[in-house]
Amino acid sequence: MTPIIFPIRHHGPGSARSLEHALNQLKPDIVLVEGPSDADSVVPFLAQPELIPPVALLGYVNDDPARASFWPFAAFSPEFVAFRWAAKAGAQARFMDLPASATLAGEREDDDTDDLHSDPLRVLAEAAGYVDFERWWETLVEARGDDFEVFDAINEAMQAVRADAPAASGREAQREACMRQTIRAALKEGVQRVAVVCGAWHAPALDVEAFRAKDDAALLKGLPKAKVTLTWVPWTHGRLSMGSGYGAGVRSPGYYHHLFTTHRNVTEHWFARAARLLREERLEASSASVIEATRLANTLAALRGRALPGLDELNEAALSVFGWDSDLPLRLIERKLVVGEALGEVPDGVPTVPLAQDLAKIQKSLRLKVQPEQIDLTLDLRADTDLARSVLFHRLNLLGVPWAAERYAGGRGTFKEAWALAWKPEFSVRLVEASRSGQTVRDAATTMAIDAARGAGTLGELTTLLEAVRYADLPGALPVALTALDARAAGNADVSDLLEALPPLARLARYGDVRGREGAPGTLAGATFRTLLTRAGVGLPLAGVGLADDAAELLRGHVGSADAAVRLLDDPEALVGWQAALRRLADREDAHPLLNGDAVRRLRDAGQLGAEEVERRLARALSAGVPLEVTAWLDGFLGQSGALLIHDAGLLGLLDDWLTTLEADVFQETLPLLRRVFSRFEKPERRAIGEALRGGNATGRGGTRAMNEERALRVVPVVLRLLGAPV
């Protein structure tokens, strides 16, 4: 019997519904579907009710999992409908396209096919004046009245289109030859009724009588082959959309799912769902609005000569009724309903790598829901479950599976973490790639951290990795990372890099592995810290010489972080060495004044410089005579807080004496620079400094200053005029 060919549109609900009706009438013995022919071993999973679309057939090369391809299926995909029908009817079902072992073994071909090749039925619908393909298909069904006649009409149209197109060549010719050979093999088995489900473009080329089997065999001879694995993975509607870059994508997968699963009152149900969504988002959407939007969509369709509203009419009606003065409701409907983010499910027995199985087990034990829509999660690391979740997220990030992205957690304390979770289908491939490093999440993350430590090019990379290893609770990777850090530091003369490496080492040595738990090699981390600190301390004074202002500001930040790290570690030996380095920096007259002032302030706060010594150094800095240098020194010395001037009247008096004795032109030049320094202080601090000066609580070199009566009298006439008193 001649095979019956059903030219369909990939992911077209109209095609899927018509195909289902036609199969019920034909009742074929075997259904052949476009797809990799070596995936027949996983076809039975499609019949299981636990498999919920959208899903994708994943194929990857065993030795190179990065070489992978996906073949997505949605509930409204004709191919999926064909397999489900065959399972229910007890008919055979197979794929018939080039095997994945051939397509993945060969060189990747650029996807330069035009719209006519990738989606010819949409092009025909647009040529007929229809923006919405599904409405065009429904018009065909209504006009023909029989699903078989619709497919025959599509086949005839495709024959006419391909008659004027160049003959198939290359990979396309091989694919069509493989499909014809599969059809011939099915006929040789003696089956009576053969149904062939393929993309509309290929339908005219699958007439086995029009092509010689010998020529097809020659085309398929010598195809490259690779050992591949095929399985099913969850997919999302978002990845079916054109916006995701998927070649056979559709504009509105969520809307297509609605069309396929809603058999009557499609428009009414659509707006009811839209209203429910808007109300969940705290936007106004009443029952009256649903009725009004339905009537408006139907009216627009009638004015345009269409039997039923299409997506354009639905969107225009939604914008008019729900939008008011904003397009926010329509954007919500577009994202959540038109495209949608439904995530499919696959049965437990589907083949997968042990790493993915271990992750699924951990996700279940930690009660973490896997879904494509973003979930915001705040963790309390004092709780064991939340701590385990944090460890898992950090390990997955090391594996290159960024399911969870860390966010800023407000409030005080270090026991809080905020994460945003969103699962993407391509993470399945990344898990396969990462499985070469280990069979469990912990082992794979440890191996990848060790490899990253050995291949790191800079100290910055190693310190970032060290923090990640600490948070991920990977004690097996810590010694390797610390050794690599020590070795890299030995050949690095950049003081900024050395200082930047100190804070994570101090946290590791002080707190251990994960938030204070036992088991971290604190002794090794502490030894590495002291080695790097010594090297940084030796080079710090010279590093402050000849710097531009921006470079000096950057180095000051590193010095501040290193100073905090030394105090955190609370190691007397390290503290003495660090303070000696700061004193050498403060004593260098050729160092940048910003760094000089910063070093003096830190030594003063540590009790290494007495009040008289600090006043002496401040006086010497103020006598420099160059406003830029003076304000830079003050910027470093005062830092971000004015508390020092509030509580030390002597320093405030010195500063006031210097400022009040400046010449007018120098004062005008200095004022903007000094204002920038004081602008960093809090308003209460600035007010307290002003009150101290006004109350005479600031004393300079000579104690309490005498008032300059001549200068004071100059303001009296101005004040009298302001008060309206006679001068």
Side-chain angles (χ1 to χ4, degrees):
M1 183 179 178
T2 303
I4 304 299
I5 297 176
F6 295 101
I8 52 90
R9 185 197 189 198
H10 299 299
H11 315 304
S15 297
R17 190 176 293 113
S18 295
L19 176 63
E20 188 174 19
H21 294 163
L23 292 175
N24 284 328
Q25 295 178 51
L26 178 64
K27 292 183 171 52
D29 301 310
I30 186 171
V31 180
L32 301 178
V33 180
E34 181 181 334
S37 55
D38 49 357
D40 287 341
S41 61
V42 295
V43 166
F45 288 108
L46 290 174
Q48 297 186 15
E50 293 81 8
L51 188 142
I52 302 174
V55 295
L57 179 65
L58 166 64
Y60 60 88
V61 178
N62 295 348
D63 296 333
D64 185 10
R67 294 186 66 87
S69 288
F70 293 98
W71 290 266
F73 294 85
F76 50 83
S77 300
E79 300 91 336
F80 181 78
V81 170
F83 281 118
R84 278 283 169 97
W85 180 91
K88 185 177 179 180
Q92 299 182 58
R94 301 174 191 166
F95 284 114
M96 62 175 180
D97 207 336
L98 275 179
S101 60
T103 57
L104 293 175
E107 294 294 327
R108 295 182 183 270
E109 295 186 355
D110 294 332
D111 187 12
D112 56 357
T113 56
D114 55 22
D115 288 344
L116 192 59
H117 280 71
S118 61
D119 197 354
L121 296 185
R122 180 172 63 84
V123 176
L124 290 180
E126 292 175 352
Y130 286 81
V131 178
D132 189 344
F133 163 81
E134 293 305 316
R135 291 296 172 243
W136 176 69
W137 185 276
E138 289 175 5
T139 302
L140 283 180
V141 173
E142 291 170 0
R144 301 274 174 170
D146 184 90
D147 292 302
F148 279 100
E149 291 189 12
V150 173
F151 288 115
D152 289 341
I154 296 297
N155 204 354
E156 290 176 9
M158 288 296 100
Q159 288 175 353
V161 170
R162 291 198 62 160
D164 296 329
S169 61
R171 179 59 56 84
E172 181 182 335
Q174 291 175 332
R175 290 183 59 200
E176 292 176 346
C178 184
M179 294 185 205
R180 291 191 293 267
Q181 290 289 68
T182 306
I183 295 172
R184 293 187 183 103
L187 293 173
K188 285 182 180 180
E189 294 177 7
V191 294
Q192 296 299 311
R193 294 179 298 277
V194 179
V196 178
V197 180
C198 64
W201 178 260
H202 301 294
L206 300 189
D207 183 359
V208 293
E209 301 297 332
F211 296 86
R212 295 193 306 172
K214 182 178 179 180
D215 295 336
D216 288 342
L219 275 174
L220 299 175
K221 186 177 181 180
L223 283 176
K225 289 186 178 180
K227 291 184 178 181
V228 299
T229 297
L230 291 129
T231 186
W232 295 104
V233 296
W235 206 246
T236 67
H237 279 167
R239 283 293 185 267
L240 284 170
S241 66
M242 291 178 177
S244 68
Y246 173 40
V250 293
R251 173 189 171 192
S252 48
Y255 171 64
Y256 279 6
H257 182 83
H258 175 78
L259 285 180
F260 185 70
T261 56
T262 307
H263 300 289
R264 61 180 63 183
N265 299 326
V266 174
T267 304
E268 291 83 348
H269 283 93
W270 177 258
F271 283 122
R273 291 181 59 200
R276 188 181 306 115
L277 168 66
L278 296 178
R279 286 194 291 267
E280 289 174 354
E281 299 291 337
R282 300 181 181 276
L283 296 174
E284 183 178 352
S286 64
S287 300
S289 298
V290 172
I291 296 172
E292 185 180 351
T294 302
R295 289 174 177 171
L296 180 55
N298 289 331
T299 302
L300 288 172
L303 289 173
R304 294 166 181 172
R306 297 170 184 172
L308 293 171
L311 186 57
D312 287 342
E313 287 78 26
L314 296 178
N315 284 342
E316 290 173 23
L319 181 60
S320 299
V321 175
F322 299 116
W324 294 94
D325 59 346
S326 170
D327 64 345
L328 174 61
L330 187 60
R331 286 190 281 116
L332 276 172
I333 293 172
E334 175 78 20
R335 188 176 76 250
K336 300 265 184 144
L337 297 184
V338 175
V339 175
E341 278 298 339
L343 178 66
E345 298 179 15
V346 297
D348 292 337
V350 169
T352 185
V353 293
L355 177 61
Q357 295 175 5
D358 183 57
L359 175 59
K361 181 181 177 181
I362 296 173
Q363 288 169 334
K364 185 176 181 180
S365 66
L366 296 179
R367 301 188 299 278
L368 291 169
K369 188 175 182 181
V370 179
Q371 65 180 52
E373 295 181 341
Q374 181 173 306
I375 304 174
D376 293 323
L377 190 64
T378 300
L379 304 180
D380 183 347
L381 300 179
R382 295 170 298 184
D384 290 342
T385 298
D386 281 357
L387 180 59
R389 289 173 173 175
S390 174
V391 168
L392 173 64
F393 298 156
H394 284 290
R395 288 176 178 176
L396 289 177
N397 284 331
L398 280 171
L399 292 177
V401 184
W403 173 36
E406 193 165 5
R407 297 285 187 263
Y408 170 74
R412 297 185 176 183
T414 59
F415 59 85
K416 288 175 63 179
E417 282 184 353
W419 296 85
L421 280 64
W423 185 264
K424 297 180 180 179
E426 56 266 29
F427 292 164
S428 300
V429 177
R430 297 190 185 182
L431 285 173
V432 173
E433 295 178 31
S435 66
R436 292 179 294 179
S437 299
Q439 304 304 304
T440 65
V441 174
R442 180 190 178 98
D443 292 347
T446 298
T447 302
M448 295 192 76
I450 290 174
D451 292 343
R454 290 170 175 167
T458 65
L459 274 177
E461 293 177 9
L462 281 168
T463 53
T464 301
L465 176 64
L466 193 63
E467 285 280 67
V469 167
R470 183 169 74 92
Y471 290 139
D473 188 17
L474 301 174
L478 275 176
V480 179
L482 289 169
T483 302
L485 183 66
D486 192 25
R488 180 65 61 184
N492 192 321
D494 190 276
V495 173
S496 290
D497 287 348
L498 292 171
L499 293 175
E500 193 176 7
L502 295 176
L505 281 171
R507 289 190 289 269
L508 178 61
R510 180 63 183 246
Y511 298 128
D513 52 0
V514 178
R515 301 298 191 270
R517 288 191 171 182
E518 298 296 332
T523 302
L524 180 58
T528 305
F529 178 92
R530 286 186 288 273
T531 300
L532 266 62
L533 181 65
T534 301
R535 291 170 181 157
V538 170
L540 178 59
L542 186 60
V545 178
L547 292 179
D549 291 343
D550 54 348
E553 183 66 40
L554 181 63
L555 182 57
R556 178 173 73 158
H558 292 319
V559 169
S561 298
D563 187 60
V566 172
R567 288 185 279 109
L568 174 67
L569 190 62
D570 196 21
D571 183 334
E573 180 182 348
L575 183 61
V576 169
W578 173 245
Q579 290 174 349
L582 289 177
R583 183 177 285 274
R584 290 194 297 272
L585 175 61
D587 291 341
R588 285 200 70 117
E589 296 183 358
D590 55 349
H592 196 285
L594 177 74
L595 299 173
N596 276 142
D598 181 73
V600 171
R601 171 63 183 268
R602 297 187 186 282
L603 290 169
R604 181 234 176 236
D605 291 347
Q608 297 300 303
L609 292 179
E612 293 183 0
E613 176 66 13
V614 172
E615 290 186 11
R616 186 185 67 79
R617 289 177 181 265
L618 174 60
R620 186 174 62 185
L622 295 176
S623 64
V626 181
L628 282 174
E629 292 184 3
V630 174
T631 52
W633 196 96
L634 288 173
D635 190 2
F637 180 69
L638 298 176
Q640 304 293 324
S641 171
L644 182 61
L645 294 179
I646 295 173
H647 298 293
D648 195 325
L651 293 180
L652 180 58
L654 285 173
L655 181 60
D656 188 39
D657 281 345
W658 166 75
L659 190 62
T660 55
T661 56
L662 291 177
E663 298 294 334
D665 55 341
V666 178
F667 178 81
Q668 292 295 332
E669 183 181 356
T670 305
L671 186 60
L673 304 174
L674 200 61
R675 183 176 294 167
R676 184 186 65 179
V677 175
F678 276 76
S679 67
R680 299 173 184 170
F681 301 166
E682 297 291 337
K683 286 185 178 180
E685 292 178 336
R686 295 200 298 267
R687 186 183 304 113
I689 292 172
E691 291 174 351
L693 292 171
R694 183 177 61 184
N697 294 328
T699 57
R701 300 181 185 87
T704 303
R705 301 187 305 278
M707 183 178 66
N708 188 323
E709 293 184 5
E710 181 183 355
R711 295 180 63 187
L713 288 173
R714 294 176 188 173
V715 77
V716 172
V718 178
V719 174
L720 291 175
R721 289 192 186 97
L722 291 174
L723 296 175
V727 179

